[in-house]
């Protein structure tokens, strides 16, 4: 049986359209899933929409639609965007799906109850609708949520609570032993110190009168599951947990949950604690990437620095966007993108770099060689594999661009076009070597820029490049 690789993206709130951050997280998963498949692994990659959030209901009301109709429409838009981005997700989660998601979410709730980890209490707290979570005074800056710049609402209600406080030691143990790895190390330390400070129990339901849109708490229709409790379970419900365990048995535990650093706590404290309580295996690893900023600031409508991925696609194409997000953004830091920089790196590295190299080599090949060059069976080189093992996609891309640079240099030094004038056989030998190098570049590009990789291989097979790859932008 093939080795399996189960990677998940977060499920996104469908209240607004997808932005660069969402494109980034999902692309990260796609590149890893493609890379795993290219090595013969059976990869499963999940993404979708997190629909039972209060802000989703608000957005539906503003759009004059029923929540269900609204989320379905948004989900279709997201799917179209994902197809355009060439994402190879295996399925698409919708948490409002009562057949596929609810049974598993309710079953895990029942397991938490059976384990004595759910209790009811009267509670008053500050709720940030942006984060969809309660905040403590120390989370706030000048009384505002630092992520959303909004004042949280004072909420007083009777809720069910999950005994997260009970799981501090157990979580510390799985993190320290590496049973659940956290990347990068700095985030792992951040979570360990959060645990050392003591974890508080989490409110896990809301009274139904305030949130009719959501999954009913089993045995108490007066309460609706808290949206994070509902959402986290998607990683197993869509594998069939609670209804048909086939995929669940095959793919769980997840090999990797990829999340932004802003939602790491939910994935490395609440989620594994729920799994332990329910007697289920914890994920093998959680990776938290940095945020995409623009001009040093978080992209926001108010600042006016939002770069819409659809606009970048329109101007430069999908493959260029995939390039930008994997090469020009370091995964574990905040990555800055501006329109000026996008144009600059597009021209330098795609139009002049890869595009130009491909057309130069293919032109010589077409004129000097009578038949196409047979490409060898390439393997992923050790350095590139090591970058993948460290999830440093930008470095794996640097590795490829180093090969592009080497091929460029070879042309400059060996001047096959001059050699051709006096010694055709030697010129052919140089060009065959260049074609094989180009074939390797295409091979290595596959997880990142699959269409470009295919175009290069097709050109080599036809011994003719039918269209230039990336045209310079002025
Ligand atoms: N619905 C929850 C996740 C539930 S997972 C069980 C959620 N949704 S979200 O739509 O707000 O954001 C989802 C992801 O997008 C997060 O991983 C977040 O870090 C990422 N990003 C949102 N803005 C981002 C940037 N500007 N840059 C990079 N990623 C960002 O949270």
């Amino acid at each position: 049986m093939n080795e399996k690789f189960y990677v998940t993206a977060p499920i996104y709130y469908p209240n607004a359209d997808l932005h660069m951050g969402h494109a980034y997280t999902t692309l990260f998963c796609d590149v890893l899933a493609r890379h795993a498949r290219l090595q013969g692994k059976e990869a499963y990659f999940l993404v979708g929409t997190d629909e039972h959030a209060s802000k989703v209901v608000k957005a539906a009301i503003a759009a004059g639609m029923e929540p269900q109709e609204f989320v379905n429409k948004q989900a279709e838009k997201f799917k179209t965007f994902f197809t355009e981005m060439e994402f190879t997700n295996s399925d698409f989660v919708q948490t409002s799906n009562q057949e596929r998601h609810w049974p598993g979410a309710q079953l895990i709730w029942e397991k938490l109850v059976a384990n004595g980890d759910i209790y009811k209490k009267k509670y008053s707290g500050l709720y940030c609708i942006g984060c969809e979570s309660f905040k403590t005074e120390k989370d706030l800056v000048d009384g505002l949520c630092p992520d959303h710049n909004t004042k949280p609402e004072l909420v007083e209600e009777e809720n069910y609570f999950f005994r997260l406080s009970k799981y501090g030691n157990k979580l510390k143990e799985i993190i320290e032993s590496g049973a659940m790895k956290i990347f990068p190390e700095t985030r792992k330390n951040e979570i360990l110190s959060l645990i050392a400070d003591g974890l508080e129990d989490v409110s896990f339901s809301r009274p139904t009168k305030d949130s009719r849109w959501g999954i009913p708490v089993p045995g108490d229709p007066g309460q609706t599951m808290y949206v994070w409790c509902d959402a986290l379970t998607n990683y197993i419900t869509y594998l069939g947990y609670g209804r048909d365990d086939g995929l669940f048995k095959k793919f769980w535990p997840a090999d990797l949950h990829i999340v932004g650093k802003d939602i790491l706590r939910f994935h490395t404290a609440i989620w594994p604690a729920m799994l332990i309580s329910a007697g289920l295996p914890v994920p093998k690893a959680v990776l938290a990437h940095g945020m995409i900023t623009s001009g040093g600031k978080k992209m926001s409508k108010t600042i006016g620095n939002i770069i819409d991925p659809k606009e970048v696609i329109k101007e430069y194409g999908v493959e260029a966007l995939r390039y930008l997000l994997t090469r020009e953004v370091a995964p574990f830091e905040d990555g800055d993108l501006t329109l000026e920089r996008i144009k600059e790196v597009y021209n330098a590295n795609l139009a002049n770099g890869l595009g130009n190299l491909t057309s130069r080599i293919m032109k010589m090949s077409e004129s000097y060689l009578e038949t196409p060059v047979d490409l060898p069976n390439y393997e992923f080189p050790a350095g590139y594999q090591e970058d993948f093992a460290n999830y440093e996609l930008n470095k794996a891309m640097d590795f490829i661009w180093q090969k592009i640079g080497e091929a460029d240099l070879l042309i400059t030094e060996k001047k096959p076009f001059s050699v051709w004038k006096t010694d055709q056989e030697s010129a052919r030998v140089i060009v065959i070597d260049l074609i094989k190098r180009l074939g390797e570049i295409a091979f290595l590009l596959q997880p990142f820029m699959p269409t470009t990789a295919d175009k290069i291989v097709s050109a080599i097979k036809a011994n003719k490049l039918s269209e230039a790859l990336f045209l310079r932008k002025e």
Side-chain angles (χ1 to χ4, degrees), residues 126-135 139 152 226-228 266:
L126 296 167
Y127 194 80
C128 170
I129 181 166
C131 296
E132 294 290 358
S133 69
F134 279 104
K135 298 273 154 181
D139 292 328
Y226 169 47
V227 63
W228 271 100
F266 294 98

Side-chain angles (χ1 to χ4, degrees), residues 10-13 19 21-22 24-25 50 228 231-232 234-235 259-263 267 289-292:
I11 49 175
Y12 307 119
Y13 294 127
H19 58 63
H22 303 120
Y24 180 68
T25 319
D50 183 357
W228 271 100
L232 287 163
N234 91 86
Y235 301 130
V259 298
K261 64 179 182 185
D262 54 333
I263 58 171
H267 286 82
H289 62 71
M291 295 289 119
I292 312 259

Side-chain angles (χ1 to χ4, degrees), residues 233-284:
T233 65
N234 91 86
Y235 301 130
I236 58 175
T237 60
Y238 261 68
L239 292 182
Y241 174 75
R243 42 185 183 91
D244 164 9
D245 281 353
L247 287 176
F248 176 71
K249 288 211 179 88
K250 182 164 175 186
F251 288 107
W252 191 257
D255 293 86
L256 186 65
H257 290 312
I258 296 192
V259 298
K261 64 179 182 185
D262 54 333
I263 58 171
L264 182 66
R265 283 186 197 191
F266 294 98
H267 286 82
T268 49
I270 301 179
W271 175 229
M274 287 167 72
L275 289 163
I276 297 167
S277 173
L280 297 170
V282 297
K284 289 188 201 161

Side-chain angles (χ1 to χ4, degrees), residues 120 418 435:
K120 213 169 191 179
S418 312
I435 286 277

